[in-house]
Amino acid sequence: MFERSPTPGQMKAAAIVAAWFGAKADYRGADFPVRYGTLPPGHGVVFTTRAQSFPGLDPTAVSTRPSVAMVENPDVPQARLLVISAATDEGLVQAAQSLALGQMLMQGRNASIDTLQLPEARKAWASGRWINPASPRPLTEGALNPLSVTGLMPGPISFEFALPPDLYPLDKDSVKLRLKYRAAPITGANSALNAVLNAQFAGGVAIDATALGKSLGESRELTVDLPGGVLRTNNRLDAQFHFRRNTDAVCQDFDPNSLQGSIDPASTLEFKRYAHFAEMPALQLFAQGAYPYSRLGDLGGTALILPQGAQESEVSAALILAGHIGRWTQDAATRLEVGSFENVSEFADRDLLMIGRAGALPVPQDWAGELPLLFSSGKTELRPVDLFDSLHERLAGRNLEQAAEYASRVVMQAGQDFEAIMGFESPLKSGRNVVVLAAGSQGNLRDAALAVVKPGQAQFVRGGLTLVQDDKVSGYDLGNGYEVGSLPWWYGLKRWLGLRPYLMLPLTLLVVLLAAMVLRVALRRRAELRLKGKL
């Protein structure tokens, strides 16, 4: 809750708190309805710099020092208000940072802070959410249930792990699973242990009496090269024991508790030959990993851009996305910056998250060629597909014109009742990214933001343009691609040629021609030396 449309400082404080709530909510998601000048009809968070800013709010909950207070909602006594207050916007930001970092002593109803020392700026992918591929990852750090199972039909032993969205395996054995296991003596044939990654079979091993042998005191190892095409940002690995009883002997007692299996805590995931690289635009990485903003856990590379005098729906959408980013970083967004469209050039060295209505989206004029949708004179049109992109994608088996035609039809049918999520390279600096949330005059920006958060809709957010209309979400690849990150030169060359097979023949002819020219010059030189008697 704000007294009026928030200033950049107030918005920054609110976004830090929203990211903190998002980290706490995790996969459950968080929604942030916004109200100006009135208290909510239930629980809520209030940002204020004045004691008399909200009718009925206990004035003792508001302090001139950066502080946080928990008080009753005067309109709904059973509800609570988290009041974040200070004399200035800078104080609000300090209170929000302290709350997110856990540096505020939360005792009693009120807590305040005099000074705050921010931790060092985060390095890329350093937050606790992500696996550090530089060293083996113990599976037990992501265990979801006990490591032992018993019985004829036991459930899986499950693990979760999150990979940086731009982790790019360079080889088929770049991600290796070393699954150490133990099993009790098995008399039935065809018993097995299978490794299943994201509901896809990855590998397995027989564990019947013949395979186990007679020594059962030591763990054995199943080594599996996990398929790169199955890996996602958030992954689930199941170790599934399949036990079989011996049915050859009849009328024999059978104790299902004798069938036991376990995964050794020394089991690991190992990474080698990988890079941090992503083909963009890829809104699916934003929906499933908050990329590229989640790269730095403190959001030191992110700027949130809103129109001046932002409306409640625009602020709400921004806070929903801040919570979404916090969900993935699991970190305090202490270095986030907030600006307006008028001063967007000041944030050229950051990835931009921009929010505004289509009719009042004052992006710079020279950005028009980058946005997938063009807004002018109350009309919304799809940017024409680039001819080179179209030819390149057609040779790769993809039809950009067909995708553009379908997207255009959706835009025309929607009129002004639509929401859009757009991704493209920042015109301010190569390698930087922009994601824009826009809505028609009859659309609701909150719906676009919630489409990123809700699992049932987020799965359809993809490409460079995603359109939202009611409960329908559709994503489109429309070309204008670019790359973020880097690859080893040899792999980059291999990939470049792989994406352009039509160049193989002319390049081969060129190499042959150059080799022939070099050989001709060398032979002529040798012939001249022989005629002069020097050979």
Side-chain angles (χ1 to χ4, degrees), residues 401-420:
E401 287 91 348
Q402 190 175 22
E405 181 182 352
Y406 189 82
S408 295
R409 189 159 58 246
V410 173
V411 171
M412 290 181 62
Q413 292 174 352
Q416 290 297 312
D417 184 14
F418 76 93
E419 297 83 36

PDB file of all heavy atoms in Angstrom, residues 401-420:
ATOM      1  N   GLU A 401       7.202 -16.931 -40.929  1.00  0.00           N
ATOM      2  CA  GLU A 401       6.029 -16.257 -41.480  1.00  0.00           C
ATOM      3  C   GLU A 401       4.734 -16.846 -40.935  1.00  0.00           C
ATOM      4  O   GLU A 401       3.785 -16.120 -40.635  1.00  0.00           O
ATOM      5  CB  GLU A 401       6.026 -16.349 -43.012  1.00  0.00           C
ATOM      6  CG  GLU A 401       7.048 -15.463 -43.687  1.00  0.00           C
ATOM      7  CD  GLU A 401       8.356 -16.198 -43.903  1.00  0.00           C
ATOM      8  OE1 GLU A 401       8.527 -17.291 -43.321  1.00  0.00           O
ATOM      9  OE2 GLU A 401       9.213 -15.670 -44.642  1.00  0.00           O
ATOM     10  N   GLN A 402       4.720 -18.165 -40.799  1.00  0.00           N
ATOM     11  CA  GLN A 402       3.519 -18.809 -40.278  1.00  0.00           C
ATOM     12  C   GLN A 402       3.268 -18.402 -38.834  1.00  0.00           C
ATOM     13  O   GLN A 402       2.128 -18.127 -38.444  1.00  0.00           O
ATOM     14  CB  GLN A 402       3.647 -20.320 -40.395  1.00  0.00           C
ATOM     15  CG  GLN A 402       2.364 -21.076 -40.105  1.00  0.00           C
ATOM     16  CD  GLN A 402       2.519 -22.560 -40.355  1.00  0.00           C
ATOM     17  OE1 GLN A 402       3.618 -23.093 -40.361  1.00  0.00           O
ATOM     18  NE2 GLN A 402       1.400 -23.246 -40.573  1.00  0.00           N
ATOM     19  N   ALA A 403       4.335 -18.363 -38.027  1.00  0.00           N
ATOM     20  CA  ALA A 403       4.193 -17.942 -36.636  1.00  0.00           C
ATOM     21  C   ALA A 403       3.738 -16.491 -36.552  1.00  0.00           C
ATOM     22  O   ALA A 403       2.867 -16.136 -35.748  1.00  0.00           O
ATOM     23  CB  ALA A 403       5.522 -18.125 -35.896  1.00  0.00           C
ATOM     24  N   ALA A 404       4.320 -15.636 -37.411  1.00  0.00           N
ATOM     25  CA  ALA A 404       3.948 -14.225 -37.411  1.00  0.00           C
ATOM     26  C   ALA A 404       2.496 -14.042 -37.854  1.00  0.00           C
ATOM     27  O   ALA A 404       1.773 -13.190 -37.322  1.00  0.00           O
ATOM     28  CB  ALA A 404       4.884 -13.432 -38.323  1.00  0.00           C
ATOM     29  N   GLU A 405       2.068 -14.828 -38.835  1.00  0.00           N
ATOM     30  CA  GLU A 405       0.687 -14.730 -39.307  1.00  0.00           C
ATOM     31  C   GLU A 405      -0.295 -15.095 -38.189  1.00  0.00           C
ATOM     32  O   GLU A 405      -1.308 -14.417 -37.996  1.00  0.00           O
ATOM     33  CB  GLU A 405       0.493 -15.655 -40.504  1.00  0.00           C
ATOM     34  CG  GLU A 405      -0.915 -15.619 -41.088  1.00  0.00           C
ATOM     35  CD  GLU A 405      -1.072 -16.585 -42.246  1.00  0.00           C
ATOM     36  OE1 GLU A 405      -0.056 -17.172 -42.685  1.00  0.00           O
ATOM     37  OE2 GLU A 405      -2.220 -16.770 -42.707  1.00  0.00           O
ATOM     38  N   TYR A 406       0.015 -16.149 -37.461  1.00  0.00           N
ATOM     39  CA  TYR A 406      -0.881 -16.559 -36.381  1.00  0.00           C
ATOM     40  C   TYR A 406      -0.889 -15.511 -35.268  1.00  0.00           C
ATOM     41  O   TYR A 406      -1.953 -15.167 -34.734  1.00  0.00           O
ATOM     42  CB  TYR A 406      -0.445 -17.911 -35.821  1.00  0.00           C
ATOM     43  CG  TYR A 406      -1.436 -18.504 -34.853  1.00  0.00           C
ATOM     44  CD1 TYR A 406      -2.544 -19.203 -35.294  1.00  0.00           C
ATOM     45  CD2 TYR A 406      -1.268 -18.337 -33.475  1.00  0.00           C
ATOM     46  CE1 TYR A 406      -3.459 -19.736 -34.409  1.00  0.00           C
ATOM     47  CE2 TYR A 406      -2.187 -18.869 -32.578  1.00  0.00           C
ATOM     48  CZ  TYR A 406      -3.273 -19.567 -33.050  1.00  0.00           C
ATOM     49  OH  TYR A 406      -4.188 -20.082 -32.168  1.00  0.00           O
ATOM     50  N   ALA A 407       0.293 -14.988 -34.912  1.00  0.00           N
ATOM     51  CA  ALA A 407       0.361 -13.958 -33.872  1.00  0.00           C
ATOM     52  C   ALA A 407      -0.399 -12.708 -34.293  1.00  0.00           C
ATOM     53  O   ALA A 407      -1.094 -12.087 -33.478  1.00  0.00           O
ATOM     54  CB  ALA A 407       1.822 -13.624 -33.569  1.00  0.00           C
ATOM     55  N   SER A 408      -0.283 -12.325 -35.560  1.00  0.00           N
ATOM     56  CA  SER A 408      -1.017 -11.149 -36.051  1.00  0.00           C
ATOM     57  C   SER A 408      -2.519 -11.351 -35.925  1.00  0.00           C
ATOM     58  O   SER A 408      -3.256 -10.418 -35.569  1.00  0.00           O
ATOM     59  CB  SER A 408      -0.648 -10.880 -37.511  1.00  0.00           C
ATOM     60  OG  SER A 408       0.701 -10.530 -37.643  1.00  0.00           O
ATOM     61  N   ARG A 409      -2.982 -12.565 -36.229  1.00  0.00           N
ATOM     62  CA  ARG A 409      -4.409 -12.849 -36.134  1.00  0.00           C
ATOM     63  C   ARG A 409      -4.887 -12.735 -34.693  1.00  0.00           C
ATOM     64  O   ARG A 409      -5.964 -12.198 -34.426  1.00  0.00           O
ATOM     65  CB  ARG A 409      -4.691 -14.244 -36.698  1.00  0.00           C
ATOM     66  CG  ARG A 409      -6.167 -14.562 -36.837  1.00  0.00           C
ATOM     67  CD  ARG A 409      -6.425 -15.676 -37.825  1.00  0.00           C
ATOM     68  NE  ARG A 409      -5.729 -16.905 -37.467  1.00  0.00           N
ATOM     69  CZ  ARG A 409      -4.747 -17.451 -38.172  1.00  0.00           C
ATOM     70  NH1 ARG A 409      -4.323 -16.841 -39.275  1.00  0.00           N
ATOM     71  NH2 ARG A 409      -4.170 -18.568 -37.798  1.00  0.00           N
ATOM     72  N   VAL A 410      -4.070 -13.223 -33.754  1.00  0.00           N
ATOM     73  CA  VAL A 410      -4.432 -13.120 -32.339  1.00  0.00           C
ATOM     74  C   VAL A 410      -4.508 -11.666 -31.908  1.00  0.00           C
ATOM     75  O   VAL A 410      -5.440 -11.249 -31.209  1.00  0.00           O
ATOM     76  CB  VAL A 410      -3.418 -13.890 -31.467  1.00  0.00           C
ATOM     77  CG1 VAL A 410      -3.695 -13.644 -29.989  1.00  0.00           C
ATOM     78  CG2 VAL A 410      -3.472 -15.383 -31.763  1.00  0.00           C
ATOM     79  N   VAL A 411      -3.548 -10.838 -32.353  1.00  0.00           N
ATOM     80  CA  VAL A 411      -3.525  -9.417 -31.989  1.00  0.00           C
ATOM     81  C   VAL A 411      -4.740  -8.698 -32.567  1.00  0.00           C
ATOM     82  O   VAL A 411      -5.400  -7.894 -31.890  1.00  0.00           O
ATOM     83  CB  VAL A 411      -2.224  -8.759 -32.477  1.00  0.00           C
ATOM     84  CG1 VAL A 411      -2.291  -7.249 -32.309  1.00  0.00           C
ATOM     85  CG2 VAL A 411      -1.032  -9.308 -31.699  1.00  0.00           C
ATOM     86  N   MET A 412      -5.071  -8.987 -33.809  1.00  0.00           N
ATOM     87  CA  MET A 412      -6.212  -8.317 -34.441  1.00  0.00           C
ATOM     88  C   MET A 412      -7.528  -8.688 -33.769  1.00  0.00           C
ATOM     89  O   MET A 412      -8.391  -7.845 -33.540  1.00  0.00           O
ATOM     90  CB  MET A 412      -6.257  -8.683 -35.929  1.00  0.00           C
ATOM     91  CG  MET A 412      -5.133  -8.067 -36.754  1.00  0.00           C
ATOM     92  SD  MET A 412      -5.247  -8.517 -38.502  1.00  0.00           S
ATOM     93  CE  MET A 412      -6.832  -7.799 -38.924  1.00  0.00           C
ATOM     94  N   GLN A 413      -7.689  -9.965 -33.436  1.00  0.00           N
ATOM     95  CA  GLN A 413      -8.926 -10.408 -32.793  1.00  0.00           C
ATOM     96  C   GLN A 413      -9.066  -9.844 -31.385  1.00  0.00           C
ATOM     97  O   GLN A 413     -10.178  -9.620 -30.911  1.00  0.00           O
ATOM     98  CB  GLN A 413      -8.973 -11.935 -32.778  1.00  0.00           C
ATOM     99  CG  GLN A 413      -9.124 -12.564 -34.154  1.00  0.00           C
ATOM    100  CD  GLN A 413      -9.013 -14.078 -34.111  1.00  0.00           C
ATOM    101  OE1 GLN A 413      -8.670 -14.663 -33.078  1.00  0.00           O
ATOM    102  NE2 GLN A 413      -9.305 -14.728 -35.241  1.00  0.00           N
ATOM    103  N   ALA A 414      -7.927  -9.628 -30.721  1.00  0.00           N
ATOM    104  CA  ALA A 414      -7.970  -9.143 -29.338  1.00  0.00           C
ATOM    105  C   ALA A 414      -8.334  -7.671 -29.260  1.00  0.00           C
ATOM    106  O   ALA A 414      -8.870  -7.215 -28.240  1.00  0.00           O
ATOM    107  CB  ALA A 414      -6.629  -9.388 -28.657  1.00  0.00           C
ATOM    108  N   GLY A 415      -8.048  -6.908 -30.322  1.00  0.00           N
ATOM    109  CA  GLY A 415      -8.288  -5.468 -30.250  1.00  0.00           C
ATOM    110  C   GLY A 415      -7.381  -4.840 -29.203  1.00  0.00           C
ATOM    111  O   GLY A 415      -6.164  -4.952 -29.270  1.00  0.00           O
ATOM    112  N   GLN A 416      -7.974  -4.181 -28.207  1.00  0.00           N
ATOM    113  CA  GLN A 416      -7.202  -3.585 -27.117  1.00  0.00           C
ATOM    114  C   GLN A 416      -7.282  -4.418 -25.835  1.00  0.00           C
ATOM    115  O   GLN A 416      -6.760  -4.018 -24.804  1.00  0.00           O
ATOM    116  CB  GLN A 416      -7.698  -2.172 -26.847  1.00  0.00           C
ATOM    117  CG  GLN A 416      -7.354  -1.175 -27.940  1.00  0.00           C
ATOM    118  CD  GLN A 416      -5.851  -1.004 -28.106  1.00  0.00           C
ATOM    119  OE1 GLN A 416      -5.112  -0.812 -27.145  1.00  0.00           O
ATOM    120  NE2 GLN A 416      -5.385  -1.110 -29.339  1.00  0.00           N
ATOM    121  N   ASP A 417      -7.931  -5.571 -25.912  1.00  0.00           N
ATOM    122  CA  ASP A 417      -8.060  -6.442 -24.747  1.00  0.00           C
ATOM    123  C   ASP A 417      -7.008  -7.540 -24.811  1.00  0.00           C
ATOM    124  O   ASP A 417      -7.294  -8.707 -25.112  1.00  0.00           O
ATOM    125  CB  ASP A 417      -9.469  -7.050 -24.701  1.00  0.00           C
ATOM    126  CG  ASP A 417      -9.689  -7.890 -23.448  1.00  0.00           C
ATOM    127  OD1 ASP A 417      -8.869  -7.773 -22.519  1.00  0.00           O
ATOM    128  OD2 ASP A 417     -10.667  -8.663 -23.418  1.00  0.00           O
ATOM    129  N   PHE A 418      -5.755  -7.163 -24.558  1.00  0.00           N
ATOM    130  CA  PHE A 418      -4.655  -8.124 -24.620  1.00  0.00           C
ATOM    131  C   PHE A 418      -3.533  -7.678 -23.693  1.00  0.00           C
ATOM    132  O   PHE A 418      -3.460  -6.527 -23.264  1.00  0.00           O
ATOM    133  CB  PHE A 418      -4.119  -8.251 -26.052  1.00  0.00           C
ATOM    134  CG  PHE A 418      -3.266  -7.082 -26.472  1.00  0.00           C
ATOM    135  CD1 PHE A 418      -1.888  -7.118 -26.323  1.00  0.00           C
ATOM    136  CD2 PHE A 418      -3.843  -5.930 -26.993  1.00  0.00           C
ATOM    137  CE1 PHE A 418      -1.102  -6.037 -26.679  1.00  0.00           C
ATOM    138  CE2 PHE A 418      -3.076  -4.846 -27.361  1.00  0.00           C
ATOM    139  CZ  PHE A 418      -1.695  -4.904 -27.205  1.00  0.00           C
ATOM    140  N   GLU A 419      -2.662  -8.622 -23.401  1.00  0.00           N
ATOM    141  CA  GLU A 419      -1.416  -8.346 -22.688  1.00  0.00           C
ATOM    142  C   GLU A 419      -0.289  -9.017 -23.470  1.00  0.00           C
ATOM    143  O   GLU A 419      -0.507 -10.046 -24.122  1.00  0.00           O
ATOM    144  CB  GLU A 419      -1.448  -8.889 -21.258  1.00  0.00           C
ATOM    145  CG  GLU A 419      -2.507  -8.272 -20.362  1.00  0.00           C
ATOM    146  CD  GLU A 419      -3.869  -8.910 -20.549  1.00  0.00           C
ATOM    147  OE1 GLU A 419      -3.923 -10.143 -20.785  1.00  0.00           O
ATOM    148  OE2 GLU A 419      -4.890  -8.178 -20.487  1.00  0.00           O
ATOM    149  N   ALA A 420       0.886  -8.436 -23.406  1.00  0.00           N
ATOM    150  CA  ALA A 420       2.019  -8.972 -24.156  1.00  0.00           C
ATOM    151  C   ALA A 420       3.282  -8.940 -23.306  1.00  0.00           C
ATOM    152  O   ALA A 420       3.488  -8.024 -22.503  1.00  0.00           O
ATOM    153  CB  ALA A 420       2.238  -8.173 -25.439  1.00  0.00           C
TER     154      ALA A 420
END
